[in-house]
Amino acid sequence: STNLTIHELLEKFSSGSLRQKRRFVKLVEERSSDFKELGEDLLKNFDPESDNWCAGWLLQVCQRHQPQLISKLIDPDSSGWFRTHSGSGVNYAALQQALLEERFEDADRMTSSTLRELAGPSAVERGYVYFSEVTSITEVDLITLDRLWIAYSQGKFGFSVQARLLEALKGRYEMLWPKIGWKENGVWTRYPNAFTWSISAPEGHMPLINQLRGVRLMDALINHSAFNPRRS
Ligand code: UYC
């Protein structure tokens, strides 16, 4: 596969099965010097309204190895390559930039503060969201947050990922915690330093939801109609 042209490689990366995509992640990074010959065509087959993590990975590789290409791919007046939408006037540019740069801890803090903003002024004042405020958050914002996390994590992080894992465990949170790295041997992972702030974290590790006040906030979020169209 090393004698593939960059076009062939990207074609296989973007249209292959999930397993093939995963196999090509490393190879795509090794060939990043060939991105220059594609220029702005690098992402032409991807949809900025999607949550396609192949596009997110290509952007992250560019950001690290070909930063001069980034300005050709991303309009500086936009909120980033992926289009974002809000029903509450939230600007997602800083979050998307943090995710692009793989500053996952910053992105996680921005996600928590965005959730407080979306829940309303009393949540901002209080410093945390009440579970009862979650239903008032618009679907479009939760979907935007989730799309950005999915797109910039090779599909590993996001509320919908946590929702899928919990569903596979039939709603048993005690089994979810060790699976997503929030609890080990019965002991909660210590915030913030014991968390894994990188793509090598377990699936569903981010975004974090503090469990200090119980599971109801997280439960309300991942059962929101945005992630569970069948249950709305
Ligand atoms: N913290 O332990 N957490 C804080 C997590 C717990 C605690 C913030 C996640 C257990 C205190 C975030 C886990 C616990 C504070 C998270 C975790 C605990 C704090 C930033 C694994 C003790 C500071 C604030 C489940 C046994 C005081 C926020 C405070 C902060 C996240 C303690 C994001 C996922 C039960 C004392 N912890 N938290 O809430 O009130 O956004 O913030 O979950």
Side-chain angles (χ1 to χ4, degrees), residues 85-92 117-119 136-138 140-141:
H85 306 282
S86 175
S88 323
V90 171
N91 183 335
Y92 290 100
E117 194 181 337
L118 292 168
S136 71
I137 300 179
T138 53
V140 61
D141 284 90

Side-chain angles (χ1 to χ4, degrees), residues 144-192:
T144 295
L145 282 169
D146 196 53
R147 278 177 54 232
L148 291 176
W149 276 99
I150 299 261
Y152 290 106
S153 69
Q154 296 169 30
K156 286 180 88 170
F157 306 143
F159 299 120
S160 66
V161 175
Q162 295 164 342
R164 176 168 47 73
L165 293 172
L166 183 68
E167 180 152 322
L169 295 169
K170 302 194 162 64
R172 290 168 293 193
Y173 277 97
E174 280 313 317
M175 293 178 79
L176 182 69
W177 306 140
K179 187 159 184 69
I180 65 177
W182 288 11
K183 204 180 226 186
E184 202 179 4
N185 303 319
V187 180
W188 291 112
T189 302
R190 276 189 77 114
Y191 182 81

Side-chain angles (χ1 to χ4, degrees), residues 35 38 46 55 74 102 126 134-135 137 166 171 182 187 228:
F35 289 5
L38 295 164
F46 297 99
I74 305 177
E102 298 170 78
R126 185 190 311 127
V134 170
T135 47
I137 300 179
L166 183 68
W182 288 11
V187 180
N228 298 277

Side-chain angles (χ1 to χ4, degrees), residues 108 112 116 127-128 177 182 188-191 195 208-213:
D108 191 70
S112 296
R116 293 193 291 273
Y128 59 91
W177 306 140
W182 288 11
W188 291 112
T189 302
R190 276 189 77 114
Y191 182 81
F195 286 86
L208 267 51
I209 297 291
N210 195 357
Q211 297 304 313
L212 191 60
R213 297 171 196 88

